[in-house]
Amino acid sequence: MKKKFNSLKEFYSYQSNNTIMKSKILVGYGSCGIAAGADKVYDTFESEIIKRSLKDIELIKVGCLGLCFSEPNVEIIINGLPDILYGKVDEKFAVRIIDEHIINKNIINHNLYDKPYIDLFNNKES
Amino acid sequence: MNNNVILVSNNSPHLYDKFQKLLTEKNLINKYQLKKFNTFGLNTYTSIIKIYPDKIIYVDSLENDIEEIVNDHLINGKIVKRLLYKNEHKNYLKSGPLPIYHKQLRLVLRNSGLIDPESIESYLSREGYRALAKILNNTTQDNVIDEIKISELRGRGGAGYPTWLKWNFTKQAQSDIKYIICNADEGDPGAYMDRSVLEGDPHSVIEGMIIAAFTVNANNGFIYIRAEYPLAIKRLEKAIKDAKEYGFLGKNILGTNFSFDIEIRLGAGAFVCGEETALISSIEGNRGMPRPRPPFPSTKGLWEKPTVINNVETLANIPLIILKGGDWYNKIGTEKSKGTKVFALTGKVKNSGLVEVPMGTSLREIIYDVGGGILNDNKFKAVQTGGPSGGVIPEDKLDTPISYESLNELGSIMGSGGMIVMDHTDCMVDVSKFYLQFSVDESCGKCSPCRIGGRQMLDLLTNISEGKSDESIIEKIEAISSAMQKASLCGLGQTAPNPVISTLKYFKDEYIDHIVNKKCISGKCKSLIVFEIDKNNCIGCHLCAIKCPVNAISGGKKEIHYIDQNKCIKCGLCFDACKFNAVIKS
């Protein structure tokens, strides 16, 4: 949605449509992530989502989380489950994430990482 | 959906096993998702257990405690208070968000890794451009300066000059045309903080620039970024385009009388262009060389007009200070250094990466708690901060709280935030040679102390590493260092001797070892090591001779081999290849 704010009033009355709660796959897509293979992981997620016609799931390229040693990093946000960060994700593991975590709501017991900080705005640690 | 989740930190596998045993015994194993996770801060706690959806964190639990957690918490819904994570001497309880037990605090990187950097909507959903709207709504330029002054924000490019003062000079300067420049010419070896901010959250920097422009009455801005950052450039271009479409950039921003536009200028890979006067000259289309200051850019900068130059990280702090207030920001950090600092933690450390910690955090906390300690549990030797302008810090100074002043006192600098950890396999002569080589390569050649002094000093260091020196050499190095520090035109030359001076200060023994004993214990200085065949161990398998890339090893099958020292390039392949310990390194 593109729009130009012509006044401060317009800006303040605008509600970003980005807050709708959807399941999210966040792929760390900075230079470091891409160097470690985040592009292939992203493509895998994309094609799996289309292949299985998964709805209500948002695949997002995000910047660097700072965990360079465990790149590529992928965070899965699903309502009801804690936000989960997987490190060292490859294409095969991405398919597992779709199968087990996204579809069956089963967290995979492999390469789980703690998020190293709290979110300043949502004030939500995960 | 089974949303009962138990996460057990992976440094306590016995607790995980105990959970599994108890849950199985009590027929609860299908009711819970029991998982292991990798965590940070393992030096602080022996174990971390997180229970969802209750959002409870237990720390330092022992094996015997697990039974209590299962019986009381999981079965009877009673929280085990004595094991709860404690926050500022208070037990942390159920309501509200989970507490932070990590050492990191992310202000500059607040959105990085959470939002889509190519979507302005994503930024807007997290208070994006709210700070800009706030100042356009009911704030005067003086109010902004005051707020930044209260926050005591200092330049994150390295020198730590108070940001409000810089802005105030430009604001007071009389001129119709003024400029804002964002310095994104990040060049220190091993540093990538600015790149990550621009790749992860470009709008925060743009918003910071717009606020600066409003405050000093500037209508044009430039982002000077090195061409080696294609992804950051791409995302910046997209962000600028989107910001224009949404009315945050361009004519009459948000319907006000204020107009401001940003252009991108690409650097051609010269390190010296990170120096502000050289950067300005590069934007003007001239060769990137520094000029003497004063006049400072804040009064006479780009095309001789008053110009604010701020680093990426400084600008990314601005919207937050406006939103949350200078008072809020001022509470974070030490007495003289406020806020946080982003460091690129690399080298011989387990969890290499980008960390953002409050000023006042100790180096030990960064390296051992956030960084997880030294790779392969080797022995820590030193940490290098500030890149080619900084110095090394040895183990006994690791507990120093980080601030601009404390790092200066140690003979290093804050710099832009590179932090390279070194272990016992690193040679300090080699390290200082590496950094000096960098400065010599990047010297623009305009002033002779830097151009000639750097080269001379590099020659002296090379002599040390090749065993061609005597003790008088240290005096010579000190004399040249002092001349370079005092007489060089810009920061590059003035600080280029820092790596050498600081290694000399803390590791003089190692220099003496090279100079007097002609020895390099870590084996990095190739001229000082010799590979020889131990005649008693050699069985004549010929493997070393096959591996040798320069055919320096002779000897037939089942005969004792011989290394020709004139041909040997000391690559060490024979040493690694020999299975009989018959190659000796000395």
Side-chain angles (χ1 to χ4, degrees):
Chain A
M1 188 163 69
K2 293 261 180 283
K3 70 175 278 164
K4 183 166 179 174
F5 297 112
N6 291 310
S7 69
L8 280 161
K9 214 176 143 197
E10 268 181 47
F11 175 76
Y12 278 119
S13 57
Y14 178 70
Q15 272 291 327
S16 170
N17 62 354
N18 232 56
T19 44
I20 307 160
M21 200 47 206
K22 258 188 182 176
S23 293
K24 285 180 185 161
I25 302 175
L26 309 180
V27 182
Y29 213 85
S31 291
C32 40
I34 296 170
D39 47 349
K40 290 180 197 130
V41 170
Y42 182 89
D43 292 347
T44 309
F45 277 123
E46 200 173 33
S47 62
E48 289 295 316
I49 288 171
I50 296 168
K51 206 165 95 191
R52 296 149 197 258
S53 8
L54 295 178
K55 294 210 172 63
D56 291 325
I57 185 133
E58 218 179 328
L59 177 63
I60 308 169
K61 290 176 185 172
V62 298
C64 164
L65 264 179
L67 309 175
C68 304
F69 66 100
S70 62
E71 292 282 7
N73 294 306
V74 172
E75 189 180 355
I76 308 292
I77 300 173
I78 294 181
N79 231 339
L81 284 179
D83 298 352
I84 291 291
L85 181 69
Y86 293 106
K88 299 178 184 165
V89 178
D90 57 10
E91 291 140 281
K92 246 176 146 177
F93 195 61
V95 177
R96 263 189 82 188
I97 291 176
I98 293 273
D99 281 335
E100 298 177 37
H101 194 141
I102 307 273
I103 296 179
N104 292 330
K105 311 282 187 272
N106 246 325
I107 299 167
I108 305 169
N109 207 2
H110 183 65
N111 281 352
L112 294 184
Y113 284 86
D114 206 356
K115 272 179 92 172
Y117 56 93
I118 54 167
D119 183 345
L120 195 67
F121 292 123
N122 285 330
N123 218 3
K124 174 179 118 181
E125 203 264 5
S126 27
Chain B
M1 175 163 84
N2 177 5
N3 62 358
N4 297 312
V5 180
I6 303 171
L7 298 177
V8 185
S9 60
N10 66 340
N11 61 333
S12 40
H14 54 294
L15 300 187
Y16 176 86
D17 295 343
K18 183 85 178 179
F19 260 118
Q20 193 156 36
K21 187 168 160 265
L22 287 173
L23 290 175
T24 314
E25 271 173 25
K26 295 181 192 291
N27 250 338
L28 289 169
I29 194 78
N30 292 328
K31 263 188 80 182
Y32 286 91
Q33 295 203 33
L34 175 65
K35 315 285 170 187
K36 279 182 223 176
F37 74 108
N38 296 288
T39 185
F40 314 98
L42 293 184
N43 286 335
T44 325
Y45 301 108
T46 59
S47 72
I48 297 167
I49 297 167
K50 296 190 191 188
I51 299 182
Y52 297 89
D54 310 4
K55 284 191 178 176
I56 293 292
I57 296 185
Y58 292 124
V59 292
D60 286 339
S61 312
L62 302 173
E63 205 171 327
N64 293 334
D65 298 326
I66 303 302
E67 190 142 14
E68 197 177 335
I69 294 176
V70 170
N71 286 333
D72 286 11
H73 186 148
L74 300 188
I75 297 178
N76 293 322
K78 249 177 62 194
I79 289 162
V80 188
K81 283 198 177 150
R82 65 185 179 86
L83 297 175
L84 278 177
Y85 166 79
K86 289 176 187 63
N87 197 1
E88 286 148 11
H89 314 294
K90 262 166 70 187
N91 272 353
Y92 191 80
L93 271 170
K94 205 170 173 176
S95 60
L98 284 181
I100 182 167
Y101 53 86
H102 314 294
K103 307 275 181 188
Q104 292 205 55
L105 173 64
R106 297 207 161 190
L107 306 185
V108 172
L109 298 170
R110 58 193 178 273
N111 293 327
S112 201
L114 299 176
I115 65 165
D116 178 355
E118 294 187 26
S119 152
I120 192 169
E121 289 285 339
S122 205
Y123 183 64
L124 285 174
S125 72
R126 291 174 56 81
E127 315 272 321
Y129 291 105
R130 292 260 153 181
L132 174 65
K134 188 175 172 184
I135 62 156
L136 290 179
N137 197 13
N138 57 4
T139 311
T140 65
Q141 294 164 325
D142 288 325
N143 289 150
V144 180
I145 299 254
D146 282 345
E147 207 64 52
I148 308 287
K149 186 176 177 181
I150 292 167
S151 77
E152 291 182 59
L153 174 68
R154 296 167 65 178
R156 295 291 190 256
Y161 194 75
T163 304
W164 76 271
L165 210 54
K166 243 188 197 181
W167 287 21
N168 209 29
F169 284 134
T170 305
K171 181 179 162 282
Q172 287 170 349
Q174 296 295 322
S175 173
D176 293 343
I177 302 173
K178 295 177 183 176
Y179 295 102
I180 305 291
I181 297 176
C182 167
N183 183 348
D185 191 53
E186 184 174 54
D188 288 5
Y192 53 96
M193 299 75 50
D194 297 350
R195 192 195 75 208
S196 289
V197 173
L198 292 169
E199 282 179 2
D201 190 15
H203 284 286
S204 66
V205 180
I206 292 172
E207 191 178 357
M209 283 180 80
I210 305 172
I211 294 169
F214 168 83
T215 311
V216 305
N217 267 332
N219 299 112
N220 287 291
F222 293 93
I223 299 176
Y224 188 88
I225 181 168
R226 57 196 303 220
E228 292 94 326
Y229 285 175
L231 189 62
I233 295 166
K234 187 185 138 213
R235 288 184 179 164
L236 265 176
E237 282 169 347
K238 173 87 167 58
I240 292 173
K241 188 172 149 272
D242 288 350
K244 274 184 195 164
E245 264 171 43
Y246 274 67
F248 301 120
L249 276 177
K251 282 218 163 71
N252 301 99
I253 290 171
L254 293 176
T256 61
N257 293 329
F258 168 55
S259 302
F260 178 63
D261 228 327
I262 297 177
E263 285 175 54
I264 294 176
R265 285 289 180 275
L266 301 187
F271 180 67
V272 74
C273 287
E275 199 279 337
E276 55 183 18
T277 58
L279 187 152
I280 285 173
S281 138
S282 175
I283 293 184
E284 288 170 346
N286 301 319
R287 190 169 158 180
M289 289 206 288
R291 61 157 176 79
R293 297 176 301 182
F296 286 92
S298 47
T299 49
K300 225 173 184 188
L302 188 58
W303 290 297
E304 310 255 296
K305 304 292 180 196
T307 305
V308 168
I309 293 200
N310 282 142
N311 165 268
V312 169
E313 203 183 322
T314 315
L315 288 167
N317 269 305
I318 300 291
L320 206 56
I321 293 171
I322 300 295
L323 269 181
K324 299 233 172 197
D327 278 331
W328 173 84
Y329 193 87
N330 189 277
K331 291 198 181 85
I332 305 163
T334 68
E335 199 195 332
K336 285 185 176 163
S337 302
K338 302 294 184 186
T340 58
K341 180 78 194 84
V342 183
F343 290 101
L345 183 63
T346 56
K348 310 279 171 57
V349 65
K350 280 179 187 162
N351 303 340
S352 61
L354 215 59
V355 303
E356 183 173 352
V357 290
M359 298 277 189
T361 307
S362 75
L363 286 159
R364 190 183 297 281
E365 286 172 298
I366 294 177
I367 296 166
Y368 284 90
D369 291 342
V370 182
I374 312 301
L375 213 59
N376 303 322
D377 291 318
N378 277 348
K379 193 171 157 29
F380 173 88
K381 189 170 189 175
V383 56
Q384 210 278 349
T385 67
S389 314
V392 298
I393 297 164
E395 176 148 32
D396 61 330
K397 302 283 192 292
L398 270 188
D399 291 309
T400 315
I402 287 181
S403 67
Y404 290 100
E405 289 75 22
S406 67
L407 289 179
N408 277 350
E409 265 167 42
L410 293 178
S412 188
I413 61 164
M414 177 80 83
S416 58
M419 193 177 269
I420 301 175
V421 179
M422 299 167 192
D423 66 7
H424 70 275
T425 62
D426 290 301
C427 165
M428 287 300 130
V429 176
D430 192 55
V431 165
S432 54
K433 215 174 88 188
F434 166 80
Y435 282 108
L436 196 65
Q437 177 75 60
F438 182 89
S439 298
V440 168
D441 288 346
E442 294 293 344
S443 171
C444 76
K446 184 170 179 177
C447 72
S448 40
C450 174
R451 183 182 71 241
I452 301 170
R455 168 56 64 190
Q456 288 298 318
M457 194 137 88
L458 184 62
D459 286 347
L460 292 177
L461 279 178
T462 309
N463 285 345
I464 295 178
S465 71
E466 288 176 355
K468 296 176 194 159
S469 55
D470 57 50
E471 274 173 271
S472 67
I473 204 163
I474 290 182
E475 238 169 78
K476 285 182 199 155
I477 287 177
E478 283 166 348
I480 299 176
S481 296
S482 152
M484 283 179 78
Q485 285 175 320
K486 285 179 192 143
S488 293
L489 181 59
C490 80
L492 194 153
Q494 288 158 8
T495 59
N498 283 358
V500 186
I501 297 169
S502 73
T503 46
L504 254 178
K505 180 172 168 192
Y506 296 117
F507 297 95
K508 198 163 187 174
D509 292 354
E510 213 169 310
Y511 275 86
I512 300 294
D513 220 20
H514 280 76
I515 295 166
V516 180
N517 306 328
K518 317 285 179 207
K519 253 187 179 166
C520 175
I521 351 164
S522 49
K524 280 274 151 77
C525 297
K526 290 197 169 146
S527 307
L528 299 182
I529 44 174
V530 180
F531 290 95
E532 281 170 318
I533 304 283
D534 182 344
K535 287 177 185 154
N536 299 322
N537 284 352
C538 182
I539 61 152
C541 71
H542 207 56
L543 188 61
C544 57
I546 294 167
K547 291 274 179 187
C548 180
V550 290
N551 296 323
I553 305 179
S554 54
K557 286 236 154 137
K558 309 226 163 145
E559 285 172 16
I560 291 169
H561 282 53
Y562 168 78
I563 302 176
D564 183 345
Q565 297 301 335
N566 293 326
K567 284 188 187 168
C568 177
I569 56 163
K570 312 198 174 157
C571 64
L573 282 175
C574 55
F575 181 78
D576 294 335
C578 182
K579 292 172 183 148
F580 306 96
N581 295 326
V583 179
I584 312 163
K585 182 168 147 183
S586 57

